[in-house]
Amino acid sequence: MHDLFQNSARQQFRGKAVCQLNCTLCNVLVCKRGMRALLLADNRIELYSTDVPPFKVQLVGEDYTTPSCRCKIRNIACLGCGTELGYHITQPCSGCMKACNNGHFWMFRTETVVAQERLDSTGANLLLWSALPENESDMEMITCDLDILCR
Amino acid sequence: MQLKTDHSAAGAVEPTPVATSADVAPPNYTLFPLPNYRITPPVIAPTTPSPRTELLAGGVAHSTTQARRTRGQSAASTLTSGGAPRGPLYSWLAPETDPHLPSATSATPNYPFPTPGRPEPRPASTRERAESAAAAAGGGGGAVPAIASPSVTDGDRLGHGPERSAPLGRGLMTKLDYEIVDYSSYNAEFYPHYIKVNQPTAGRSRWSSLVGDQHQYLTLKLDRPSLLQCVTFGKFSRNHICNLKEFRILAAATENHWVEILLSGLRNDSEPETFTVRNTLHHGTVPFPVLWIKVIPLMAYEHKFNFTIWYLELRGSQDPAVVQPLLTQYQRYCERTALRLCLKAIHQYNPDHYDPRAVLGPVRGSDPLTVQLEDPLVTDLRGAVTTGRFDRVEALLARAQTADFLHDYIRRCPYTADWAPVAVRPDEIRPEGRGAHQVCVDEAGEALYLFGGWSGTSSLSDFWRFDLRTSRWELLSPDTAQQGGPGPRHYHSMCFDPHTRTLFVLGRYVDPEHRTRATLENDFYAYHLDSPAPFWERLSANTELDGGPRLSFDFELSVDPTPGAGALYAFGGRTIGADAYECVYSGLYRYHLATRTWTVLRPDALPSETDIALRARLERSMLFHTGRRQLLIVSAQRDATTSSEFSVYDIASDTVFEKATPSPATAIVYDKRYTHRASYDEDRDEVYVFTGRTFNQAAKSHGHDGGEAVSTLWCYHVPTERWSRIYTAHARSGCSDEGSGGGGGQTDPTSLASSVGASATTATGWSSTRPPPSAATVLGTSAVPAPSTATAASCSTPAALALPVTASPRLALGVIYPRCVFYLNSVASPDRTAANPSGASEPPCHASATASPFPLTPAGPTRSKAGTRGNGLRATTARATADPANGAAGQHGPTPPGPEARIAHQFVYHQRTRTHYLFGGASFSRHVGDGYLGPGTDPPVSSTDHTPPAVASHVYSFQSAGGGRSATSFSTHSGHHMDGAHATATTATCHPGNRLNDFWRLELRQPTADDVVRRMQFLVRCQIYLEMCLAAHRAPDSAPSQACGGLVGGHTTSEMAVDTDQRTAGGALAPHPQTTVRALKYLQTELADLVDPNDPAQVERLHRLPLALLDGWPRDPPTQDQLVYHTRRLLFDDLMAFLPEGVKQPESNLMDMVVPWLEARPGTVAEV
């Protein structure tokens, strides 16, 4: 039931472009599945979000909550330079889960990351979320760690 | 690629930093008084918008380009120049090679430093001797006038002598220019040289390592040798997880020969931090001018993150007038040490034909041989010991005493506390029991003055004088208000100005229910003793109106008696306002005696905004250092996050130096305690801290008072920054009990350090008869169980089988006859050493010999550097026998009487007689009769006046403890566990009965020279006895051999002569009866007398000795000879441990240095 709900919710975001996110300060690549999004609790706040644990970041400090909702969140910082890039929702609150969400639990502040929209395999069009495989089967997540094969 | 820059090329490359702290650094730097202190403002002003923000945008880009250019050019210079010049520092001294030298210096005709190959003009061989004498005395001389470390010259150097401070002050504390010549890695565009630029708001202006592992470093090179004084770390304008939680700084005079000069950590905040660094060698006696600096990050605030240094500034002196004499001194020290080590090696190689004159030759011209391997007395002693002329040995020991060679050892001995009740005749009047009173010492008048306090039900205003000569109390006034003096009060502060002979009284506590406008005026009084008829004078009706402190309690008042500049300093405490819940800490105020005006030095503050450096505003002590004109502020640890326990406020420069204690191993080792009293001995530069009872939550929750509540006495040696616990006493028994190996520290979950301290307590032996905890338990090194005797240690080592030539005799003995060590080692067992791990109370000189508390195990977690020496064998040579700390293990004995643990007492120090006095206070959990409470006696408990049940009594006594501090006056802000008191505030009433009026005298004792000689004699006679035992086992048909022959010459001749009777009677296996009888007799008459019954180590050894007669000693003469030879060597080594460094041969061995030195990898830390 929950999955169904999630999937239907995600339908709405299928037309959005996929971004690659780099740390502003040290240019480390932190995410290849970024999405430009608005904060559920406060629509005025723009963020980048992703559905899989980002690269080269680390949870820091303790969980906390903000006044706007009861989600428990914890900051994430860039392993390259230590800058706090955003936060991770460690325990979403029911309010946010019921609302129309994109199912992403990793958030990046717009000023701390540089976003670049990815292109699809043709190189001509923007890569859309609809074209992305589900996170479990996304080869992009794996290949970035593989050695280049020269054959 | 490593980046190495020739210093000449480097100078041209480096850009000028955009904005540095130099712009805002304060003027008038004086010498830093203490090494390794964190200095808080005003070194760099806090981040303010001002001009720096304007530089922001452009600054980043600017420095980026600079970075690239520098890197490129530096890399190029590597190709051409191939590295920095190696070689001795003194190349800097020849005028023609130093382009930086001002012409004036170059023109100086008689340059003091010897040019290699040319005979050095040596005008002052006396000076040379003075230096060695200073070294011999463990650093008592003034050989190093210009060293910033307090070392040994504090007293005279930091006095007001203009002739010294003036020239030094001029050349000191300039910003030192440096190059980054090497680094481990960098990340992204965070280049190493960015640390030269201070831009707190620029996230890019920093060096960041590529990884956060243990191999990261930056190597800096100064443009010329400098006396480095302090290091400033700038920070980002916000917290940052990459900040260095822990780091070390190494320095080197010659490349890659590093010496650690600082181990500390930064706070994770935005305030820049400045640390003074070690800039002396050899226990503070030799200056250490440096050329290379290496910064090694150890830990960031989060794991896995890279290390970041935002800004690094070095300050010190480059003035040739200052540095060059230091270079000379440094060079001379190195030269002397090298020569002595060579002489030692030569001596070892061929001891029979050792002739230093032949070796050194007449190089020094008319100068007599100033480099001597050892004192003639030591040579004599060695001869006497090795040939077994033991009567000669004892005579020489007596001579060592007259030559004052034992002074150094005595100074390193830990104190034993000798409490005694001050005898007051029962029929004499004396003050009633009280807490939160004040006592002052008038040394000139030989009197103590006591004023005020809390009787348990009310404030007091009686004023007493105790005459130290007649030991009588005199009631000067039952109520000083009648004489125009202060009214009843407690929790006030009183101090005595010896110059004007005036007592000052300020502050008090007011119960919340009595707080009205009228009662909250901070009246201020003086009592003039010097006048023919001493009188009270009200200096102010309310100091708050005069710009002085608000009414407060638990603050400290100290007097600066300097004639002309006389002033009072009031610091800390909590202000008393109409709102009892208001929590404001009082600041630091100065009251100028001549003009009678107040100055605010640090304002009052809320707990949250308390100046970081001076945040310890409750439960601390403030002491005035007359010589240096500094306030020493000693405080108990407030909570887990505070690490600062010792601060110094320098009056002249208005600067706070804060002791940085990054790791528990070096941290001050006392926990939360109430009623913190401290005293200061200016001659010894030692602070004594007597803490009141601890409040233990765990004990409370278990519903019992526990034997865990303790009061402790600590000693802090300011120059060496070492805390040592003198004793720990339990509340219940009135005397101490060690607890299960951990003493008071056992209840303290805070740190390893406290267990280290606890073990030191064991060594000092306040009362425990329990054996000291094994090294494994104390240090947490559970890798190898502690051997029960040293025999096990010696035998179990495979290393013992292949001994190097220079290996210790103890190991050699282990090979020949392991059990022999059993007899010799009971005093010197490693357990003993371990009970006294390095860092706790180990004197610095012995650090190398006893560095590893646990032989043949990897160096423990105490940061002992034994491991870096790569010399596990040496660890077993630990001469615990003569280790002063161990010697004091000797003071174990029956429980000495002492005052019971208490709070709200008063503890003062009489400097001239070196005596502390303790009066009154509030006791715990029991009611004390009105009369005198004898030491350790339980008060009579009547059925009507019964102690409440345990839980209640705990809370009850605690509430009453503060001398009437009402629980409501404390909020949890104070950081202490006051909840219990708070809860019972309305119900508990103070029982007047538990205010004490006992009066104690405390003397801190060290062994006398006679004691030391007896200790040495004991060792000698043990040897004599052991040789008797050997002789008794000698095979019947063998004559005394060469090695034993010496015995015949000694006073043991008659006993030792192996006569024909023995040969016939000896038979096969049994020892010779006659010799046996003689040995036993010797044991009874000559040895037993020498044993100090209070020294369990000696007693234990004595108890083992009879066994030696029955032991299965080797019977063949060659083995016996070897045994004798090695035991005598061991004895000699043990005796040497009593003698100061300059008198005996150097401890280190040139041969030990060969491999580490030749194989040294860059970055290896040398130990000095």
Side-chain angles (χ1 to χ4, degrees), chain A residues 24-28 57-61 76-84, chain B residues 187-190 203-204 206 208-210 240-242 302-306 308:
Chain A
T24 312
L25 203 57
C26 65
N27 207 33
V28 159
V57 299
Q58 168 82 21
L59 292 168
V60 291
I76 54 175
C78 167
L79 275 172
C81 61
T83 313
E84 285 183 1
Chain B
N187 178 27
E189 293 185 343
F190 308 124
R204 290 179 206 272
R206 56 163 152 165
S208 181
S209 64
L210 187 59
H240 201 283
I241 44 184
C242 296
E302 286 274 353
H303 289 294
K304 288 194 184 180
F305 282 91
N306 301 326
T308 284

Short mmCIF file of all heavy atoms in Angstrom, two decimals, chain A residues 24-28 57-61 76-84, chain B residues 187-190 203-204 206 208-210 240-242 302-306 308:
data_model
loop_
_atom_site.label_atom_id
_atom_site.label_comp_id
_atom_site.label_asym_id
_atom_site.label_seq_id
_atom_site.Cartn_x
_atom_site.Cartn_y
_atom_site.Cartn_z
N THR A 24 30.04 23.07 -3.66
CA THR A 24 30.46 24.38 -4.18
C THR A 24 31.92 24.66 -3.86
O THR A 24 32.67 25.19 -4.67
CB THR A 24 29.60 25.49 -3.54
OG1 THR A 24 28.25 25.11 -3.64
CG2 THR A 24 29.84 26.80 -4.22
N LEU A 25 32.30 24.30 -2.67
CA LEU A 25 33.61 24.72 -2.18
C LEU A 25 34.73 23.86 -2.76
O LEU A 25 35.73 24.37 -3.25
CB LEU A 25 33.62 24.66 -0.66
CG LEU A 25 34.63 25.54 0.03
CD1 LEU A 25 34.43 26.99 -0.37
CD2 LEU A 25 34.50 25.39 1.53
N CYS A 26 34.56 22.54 -2.70
CA CYS A 26 35.69 21.72 -3.13
C CYS A 26 35.38 20.92 -4.38
O CYS A 26 36.20 20.12 -4.82
CB CYS A 26 36.13 20.80 -2.00
SG CYS A 26 34.90 19.58 -1.51
N ASN A 27 34.21 21.11 -4.92
CA ASN A 27 33.86 20.54 -6.22
C ASN A 27 33.79 19.02 -6.22
O ASN A 27 33.86 18.38 -7.26
CB ASN A 27 34.86 21.02 -7.28
CG ASN A 27 34.22 21.01 -8.65
OD1 ASN A 27 33.01 21.26 -8.76
ND2 ASN A 27 34.99 20.71 -9.68
N VAL A 28 33.65 18.43 -5.07
CA VAL A 28 33.50 16.98 -5.02
C VAL A 28 32.12 16.61 -5.54
O VAL A 28 31.13 17.28 -5.23
CB VAL A 28 33.69 16.49 -3.56
CG1 VAL A 28 33.05 15.13 -3.36
CG2 VAL A 28 35.15 16.44 -3.22
N VAL A 57 29.72 12.11 1.37
CA VAL A 57 29.17 12.93 2.45
C VAL A 57 29.07 12.06 3.68
O VAL A 57 29.12 10.84 3.61
CB VAL A 57 27.78 13.54 2.12
CG1 VAL A 57 27.85 14.43 0.92
CG2 VAL A 57 26.76 12.44 1.95
N GLN A 58 28.91 12.73 4.79
CA GLN A 58 28.91 12.02 6.05
C GLN A 58 27.89 12.68 6.96
O GLN A 58 27.79 13.92 7.00
CB GLN A 58 30.31 12.11 6.66
CG GLN A 58 30.44 11.68 8.08
CD GLN A 58 30.57 10.17 8.20
OE1 GLN A 58 30.94 9.48 7.23
NE2 GLN A 58 30.24 9.64 9.35
N LEU A 59 27.14 11.88 7.67
CA LEU A 59 26.23 12.45 8.66
C LEU A 59 27.06 13.03 9.80
O LEU A 59 28.02 12.41 10.24
CB LEU A 59 25.31 11.35 9.21
CG LEU A 59 24.30 10.79 8.23
CD1 LEU A 59 23.66 9.53 8.80
CD2 LEU A 59 23.22 11.82 7.94
N VAL A 60 26.70 14.19 10.24
CA VAL A 60 27.45 14.80 11.35
C VAL A 60 26.48 15.25 12.43
O VAL A 60 25.33 15.61 12.15
CB VAL A 60 28.32 16.00 10.90
CG1 VAL A 60 29.46 15.53 10.03
CG2 VAL A 60 27.49 17.05 10.21
N GLY A 61 26.96 15.25 13.62
CA GLY A 61 26.17 15.76 14.75
C GLY A 61 25.05 14.81 15.12
O GLY A 61 25.09 13.61 14.83
N ILE A 76 24.28 16.69 6.90
CA ILE A 76 25.31 15.96 6.18
C ILE A 76 26.39 16.95 5.76
O ILE A 76 26.10 18.12 5.45
CB ILE A 76 24.76 15.21 4.95
CG1 ILE A 76 23.99 16.15 4.01
CG2 ILE A 76 23.87 14.06 5.38
CD1 ILE A 76 23.55 15.47 2.74
N ALA A 77 27.61 16.50 5.79
CA ALA A 77 28.73 17.38 5.44
C ALA A 77 29.58 16.71 4.38
O ALA A 77 29.67 15.47 4.31
CB ALA A 77 29.57 17.68 6.68
N CYS A 78 30.19 17.54 3.58
CA CYS A 78 31.05 17.08 2.50
C CYS A 78 32.33 16.51 3.10
O CYS A 78 32.98 17.16 3.92
CB CYS A 78 31.36 18.25 1.59
SG CYS A 78 32.69 17.92 0.44
N LEU A 79 32.67 15.32 2.70
CA LEU A 79 33.88 14.71 3.24
C LEU A 79 35.14 15.37 2.71
O LEU A 79 36.21 15.22 3.28
CB LEU A 79 33.91 13.22 2.90
CG LEU A 79 33.17 12.31 3.86
CD1 LEU A 79 33.11 10.90 3.33
CD2 LEU A 79 33.85 12.31 5.22
N GLY A 80 34.98 16.09 1.63
CA GLY A 80 36.17 16.74 1.09
C GLY A 80 36.58 17.96 1.89
O GLY A 80 37.74 18.11 2.26
N CYS A 81 35.62 18.81 2.19
CA CYS A 81 35.98 20.07 2.83
C CYS A 81 35.25 20.30 4.14
O CYS A 81 35.48 21.31 4.81
CB CYS A 81 35.73 21.23 1.89
SG CYS A 81 34.01 21.37 1.43
N GLY A 82 34.36 19.42 4.51
CA GLY A 82 33.69 19.57 5.78
C GLY A 82 32.51 20.53 5.77
O GLY A 82 31.88 20.74 6.79
N THR A 83 32.21 21.09 4.64
CA THR A 83 31.07 22.00 4.58
C THR A 83 29.76 21.25 4.79
O THR A 83 29.57 20.17 4.23
CB THR A 83 31.01 22.68 3.19
OG1 THR A 83 32.31 23.13 2.86
CG2 THR A 83 30.03 23.82 3.19
N GLU A 84 28.88 21.82 5.55
CA GLU A 84 27.58 21.19 5.73
C GLU A 84 26.73 21.48 4.50
O GLU A 84 26.41 22.63 4.20
CB GLU A 84 26.92 21.69 7.01
CG GLU A 84 27.59 21.07 8.22
CD GLU A 84 26.96 21.46 9.54
OE1 GLU A 84 25.96 22.22 9.51
OE2 GLU A 84 27.47 21.03 10.58
N ASN B 187 43.82 19.14 -0.47
CA ASN B 187 42.56 18.75 -1.08
C ASN B 187 42.06 19.90 -1.92
O ASN B 187 42.14 21.06 -1.51
CB ASN B 187 41.57 18.41 0.03
CG ASN B 187 40.21 18.03 -0.51
OD1 ASN B 187 40.11 17.54 -1.63
ND2 ASN B 187 39.19 18.27 0.28
N ALA B 188 41.51 19.57 -3.07
CA ALA B 188 40.91 20.57 -3.95
C ALA B 188 41.85 21.76 -4.10
O ALA B 188 43.00 21.58 -4.48
CB ALA B 188 39.54 20.98 -3.43
N GLU B 189 41.35 22.92 -3.77
CA GLU B 189 42.20 24.09 -3.92
C GLU B 189 42.59 24.67 -2.57
O GLU B 189 42.82 25.86 -2.44
CB GLU B 189 41.48 25.14 -4.77
CG GLU B 189 41.32 24.66 -6.19
CD GLU B 189 40.71 25.72 -7.09
OE1 GLU B 189 40.14 26.68 -6.54
OE2 GLU B 189 40.83 25.58 -8.31
N PHE B 190 42.62 23.82 -1.59
CA PHE B 190 42.99 24.29 -0.25
C PHE B 190 44.49 24.06 -0.08
O PHE B 190 44.93 23.10 0.53
CB PHE B 190 42.20 23.53 0.81
CG PHE B 190 40.72 23.55 0.57
CD1 PHE B 190 39.99 22.38 0.48
CD2 PHE B 190 40.05 24.75 0.44
CE1 PHE B 190 38.64 22.40 0.26
CE2 PHE B 190 38.68 24.77 0.22
CZ PHE B 190 37.97 23.60 0.12
N GLY B 203 35.70 30.59 3.25
CA GLY B 203 35.74 29.15 3.41
C GLY B 203 36.88 28.50 2.66
O GLY B 203 37.24 27.37 2.93
N ARG B 204 37.44 29.22 1.69
CA ARG B 204 38.51 28.62 0.91
C ARG B 204 39.90 28.92 1.47
O ARG B 204 40.86 28.30 1.05
CB ARG B 204 38.47 29.15 -0.52
CG ARG B 204 37.30 28.65 -1.31
CD ARG B 204 37.34 29.26 -2.69
NE ARG B 204 36.01 29.33 -3.25
CZ ARG B 204 35.48 28.32 -3.94
NH1 ARG B 204 36.15 27.23 -4.14
NH2 ARG B 204 34.26 28.43 -4.41
N ARG B 206 42.23 28.23 3.47
CA ARG B 206 42.68 27.24 4.45
C ARG B 206 43.47 26.16 3.74
O ARG B 206 43.40 26.02 2.53
CB ARG B 206 41.48 26.60 5.13
CG ARG B 206 40.53 25.97 4.12
CD ARG B 206 39.59 25.01 4.78
NE ARG B 206 38.33 24.89 4.06
CZ ARG B 206 37.47 23.92 4.26
NH1 ARG B 206 37.71 22.99 5.15
NH2 ARG B 206 36.35 23.85 3.58
N SER B 208 43.59 22.16 3.61
CA SER B 208 42.83 20.99 3.98
C SER B 208 43.57 19.79 3.44
O SER B 208 44.00 19.76 2.29
CB SER B 208 41.42 21.08 3.38
OG SER B 208 40.68 19.96 3.76
N SER B 209 43.72 18.80 4.30
CA SER B 209 44.43 17.61 3.86
C SER B 209 43.53 16.81 2.93
O SER B 209 42.32 16.98 2.91
CB SER B 209 44.83 16.77 5.07
OG SER B 209 43.68 16.32 5.72
N LEU B 210 44.15 15.92 2.18
CA LEU B 210 43.37 15.13 1.24
C LEU B 210 42.65 14.00 1.97
O LEU B 210 41.55 13.60 1.60
CB LEU B 210 44.30 14.55 0.16
CG LEU B 210 43.62 13.84 -1.00
CD1 LEU B 210 42.68 14.77 -1.72
CD2 LEU B 210 44.66 13.30 -1.96
N HIS B 240 33.45 24.44 12.64
CA HIS B 240 33.75 23.65 11.46
C HIS B 240 34.26 22.29 11.91
O HIS B 240 35.15 22.19 12.74
CB HIS B 240 34.78 24.36 10.59
CG HIS B 240 34.75 23.87 9.18
ND1 HIS B 240 35.30 22.68 8.82
CD2 HIS B 240 34.20 24.40 8.06
CE1 HIS B 240 35.10 22.50 7.52
NE2 HIS B 240 34.44 23.53 7.04
N ILE B 241 33.69 21.27 11.32
CA ILE B 241 34.05 19.93 11.78
C ILE B 241 35.46 19.54 11.41
O ILE B 241 35.99 18.57 11.93
CB ILE B 241 33.07 18.88 11.20
CG1 ILE B 241 32.83 19.15 9.74
CG2 ILE B 241 31.79 18.86 11.98
CD1 ILE B 241 31.84 18.23 9.13
N CYS B 242 36.08 20.28 10.53
CA CYS B 242 37.45 19.94 10.16
C CYS B 242 38.47 20.58 11.10
O CYS B 242 39.67 20.39 10.94
CB CYS B 242 37.75 20.35 8.73
SG CYS B 242 36.77 19.47 7.54
N GLU B 302 35.22 15.65 13.58
CA GLU B 302 34.42 14.49 13.20
C GLU B 302 35.36 13.50 12.54
O GLU B 302 36.29 13.88 11.83
CB GLU B 302 33.33 14.89 12.19
CG GLU B 302 32.18 15.66 12.79
CD GLU B 302 31.10 14.76 13.36
OE1 GLU B 302 31.18 13.53 13.18
OE2 GLU B 302 30.18 15.29 14.00
N HIS B 303 35.10 12.27 12.79
CA HIS B 303 35.90 11.24 12.13
C HIS B 303 35.67 11.30 10.63
O HIS B 303 34.66 11.81 10.17
CB HIS B 303 35.51 9.86 12.65
CG HIS B 303 35.96 9.64 14.06
ND1 HIS B 303 37.28 9.57 14.38
CD2 HIS B 303 35.28 9.52 15.20
CE1 HIS B 303 37.39 9.40 15.69
NE2 HIS B 303 36.19 9.37 16.22
N LYS B 304 36.57 10.73 9.92
CA LYS B 304 36.48 10.60 8.47
C LYS B 304 36.71 11.92 7.74
O LYS B 304 36.83 11.92 6.52
CB LYS B 304 35.11 10.07 8.04
CG LYS B 304 34.89 8.61 8.35
CD LYS B 304 33.68 8.18 7.57
CE LYS B 304 33.30 6.75 7.86
NZ LYS B 304 32.12 6.38 7.08
N PHE B 305 36.72 13.02 8.44
CA PHE B 305 36.87 14.28 7.72
C PHE B 305 38.34 14.67 7.63
O PHE B 305 39.16 14.25 8.44
CB PHE B 305 36.07 15.39 8.40
CG PHE B 305 34.61 15.30 8.08
CD1 PHE B 305 33.76 14.57 8.89
CD2 PHE B 305 34.10 15.89 6.95
CE1 PHE B 305 32.43 14.45 8.58
CE2 PHE B 305 32.76 15.78 6.63
CZ PHE B 305 31.92 15.06 7.45
N ASN B 306 38.60 15.47 6.66
CA ASN B 306 39.96 15.94 6.46
C ASN B 306 40.30 16.99 7.51
O ASN B 306 39.41 17.57 8.13
CB ASN B 306 40.11 16.55 5.08
CG ASN B 306 39.78 15.55 4.02
OD1 ASN B 306 40.03 14.36 4.18
ND2 ASN B 306 39.18 16.02 2.93
N THR B 308 41.74 20.59 8.68
CA THR B 308 41.84 21.93 8.12
C THR B 308 42.58 22.84 9.07
O THR B 308 42.34 22.82 10.28
CB THR B 308 40.43 22.49 7.87
OG1 THR B 308 39.90 21.88 6.70
CG2 THR B 308 40.47 23.99 7.65
#
